[in-house]
Amino acid sequence: MAPSRILMAAIVLVGLSGFADAPQRYVVSYSVSDHGVAQMRGQALISEEGDVSVQGSDQDGGHAFNATLNPTDDGLVLVTSLWRGATKLGEPTLAMERGGQAKAEFGSDQQRVVIEIAPAD
C-alpha cells in the first residue's frame, strides 16, 4: 500500500475512534407550575463538563435556569439554579450514573418545581 493511503487510513481510524468516544448528551428540563398550571418551562442539551443557561421573559418578569454537568468517580452530578426575577426558586443538585437519569421535585401544591435529566440519544 502506498504511504499516502496508509496515512489516510490512519487518519480515518483516528477520526472514527474519536467520534465513538464523544461524551454522551443529555436533555435537561425544568418546569414551574402554579396551582397545576405551567408558568415556565424549558429544556436544553448538555454533555459532561458542560453547562447551559436558559432565559425567558413574560409579562410578570424574567426567569433563568442554569445547569452544569460534572463527572465524579461514581457517575455525574447536575448542579442547577432556577430564578424568577431576583427570587431564587431553588438550587437542586442531582446525582446519577453515566447514561442514567434523575429527577427532582420540590415545592407545594401552589408552586411546584420539577427538574429532570435523561439521555438525549
Side-chain angles (χ1 to χ4, degrees):
M1 193 180 271
S4 62
R5 287 186 184 171
I6 293 172
L7 179 58
M8 284 186 61
I11 291 171
V12 169
L13 288 175
V14 169
L16 291 176
S17 67
F19 179 75
D21 294 336
Q24 182 170 355
R25 296 181 319 159
Y26 296 86
V27 175
V28 60
S29 60
Y30 68 92
S31 67
V32 178
S33 60
D34 186 7
H35 292 86
V37 177
Q39 300 297 306
M40 58 180 149
R41 68 177 60 199
Q43 65 181 12
L45 287 173
I46 191 170
S47 60
E48 288 183 34
E49 298 186 47
D51 55 23
V52 296
S53 181
V54 178
Q55 298 181 14
S57 62
D58 56 27
Q59 67 275 10
D60 298 324
H63 72 273
F65 174 74
N66 304 298
T68 302
L69 188 59
N70 298 311
T72 66
D73 291 339
D74 298 328
L76 300 169
V77 172
L78 180 71
V79 179
T80 69
S81 65
L82 183 59
W83 297 78
R84 178 158 193 104
T87 304
K88 186 184 294 183
L89 300 178
E91 283 185 307
T93 298
L94 292 79
M96 58 189 255
E97 294 179 6
R98 280 187 171 84
Q101 55 189 7
K103 181 177 182 178
E105 290 186 59
F106 56 94
S108 63
D109 290 339
Q110 288 78 31
Q111 186 175 60
R112 189 112 193 106
V113 176
V114 178
I115 297 175
E116 298 180 80
I117 184 168
D121 305 321

